[in-house]
Every structure is written in C-alpha cells, then in structure tokens.
C-alpha cells in the first residue's frame, strides 16, 4: 500500500504509474491526490485574492456610496468593459492607496461605471 506524504514531505506527483505496480487502485489514488492538490492550490489562490477584492469593494462602497452587492456589480462591469480580470482590477484599485497610478483602462471604465450609477440613483 502506498503511503501519502505529509505537507512537509510534499513532492510533485506524476500521474504515471510505475511499471510493475500490481494494484489498479494505486493509479486511481494517485490521480485523486493530484486532483486534490490542484484544487488545494486553486483555493489558496482564491483566498489570497479575496482580501484584495474585499478591500476594493469597500473602496467602491465609499466612492459610490452603494451596497456591497452594487459595488460587486460595478467591479464586474469595470472588469468586463476593460477586459481585465476582476482580481487585477481590484489589485489596481487597492494599489492607489500606496501611491500607484490606476491603469488608464481601469480608470476610464471605473469613471463610466460610477457615472452610470450616479445617474441611475438620480433618476
């Protein structure tokens, strides 16, 4: 029976089963471990970007003023119209607090989205 490694012993796994391996279950177990590691990596990336997205949502809520749901919609809108991933739009927005310049496509689409929001609130 194969022993799974701990996180300290973690090493890249190959999906290839060494020749002479008698159990077909080993190949299935190996494939499952590889899949679980990929999911774990994806979740780690999602958690890392979530804090930045939440900060950007707060900034939009202050700028607009609007609900968190509307701020989310606004960030999605900016992302789609500028063709920049939402996590990158959020990171650019948060970076302005560190004296970074907001990229022109994000700045343009954010201004447009805020104008549309203010016009909708007035009408």
């Amino acid at each position: 029976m194969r022993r799974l490694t701990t996180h300290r012993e973690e090493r890249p796994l190959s999906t290839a089963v060494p020749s002479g391996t008698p159990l077909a279950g080993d190949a299935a177990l190996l494939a499952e471990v590889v899949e679980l590691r990929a999911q774990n990596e994806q979740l780690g990336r999602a958690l890392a970007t979530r804090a930045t997205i939440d900060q950007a949502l707060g900034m939009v809520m202050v700028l607009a003023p609007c609900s968190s749901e509307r701020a989310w919609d606004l960030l999605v809108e900016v992302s789609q119209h500028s063709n920049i991933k939402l996590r990158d739009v959020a990171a650019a927005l948060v970076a302005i607090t560190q004296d970074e310049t907001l990229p022109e496509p994000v700045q343009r689409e954010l201004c447009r989205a805020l104008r549309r929001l203010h016009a909708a609130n007035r009408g």
Side-chain angles (χ1 to χ4, degrees):
M1 179 169 212
R2 258 191 203 162
R3 182 176 73 83
L4 296 178
T5 60
T6 66
H7 71 282
R8 294 183 192 276
E9 302 172 308
E10 195 170 298
R11 63 189 177 344
L13 290 177
S14 165
T15 56
V17 177
S19 60
T21 302
L23 299 175
D26 284 350
L29 180 62
L30 184 58
E32 184 178 357
V33 168
V34 168
E35 182 181 338
L36 289 171
R37 283 191 180 172
Q39 288 175 357
N40 188 37
E41 200 173 296
Q42 182 182 11
L43 287 170
R45 283 192 305 269
L47 282 173
T49 60
R50 188 65 208 187
T52 302
I53 292 171
D54 286 342
Q55 289 173 341
L57 284 171
M59 293 173 71
V60 170
M61 290 167 65
V62 169
L63 284 171
C66 64
S67 68
S68 60
E69 293 82 14
R70 184 60 190 117
W72 174 262
D73 292 343
L74 192 137
L75 281 179
V76 168
E77 189 177 323
V78 170
S79 171
Q80 290 175 343
H81 286 122
S82 64
N83 199 27
I84 298 173
K85 291 182 184 275
L86 187 127
R87 67 175 177 253
D88 295 333
V89 168
L93 194 56
V94 171
I96 66 172
T97 65
Q98 304 297 318
D99 295 327
E100 295 286 326
T101 303
L102 198 58
E104 195 277 326
V106 174
Q107 185 177 9
R108 181 184 63 242
E109 293 304 328
L110 181 61
C111 287
R112 287 178 180 168
L114 287 169
R115 271 191 239 116
R116 284 190 294 270
L117 177 65
H118 287 293
N121 287 343
R122 280 184 272 168

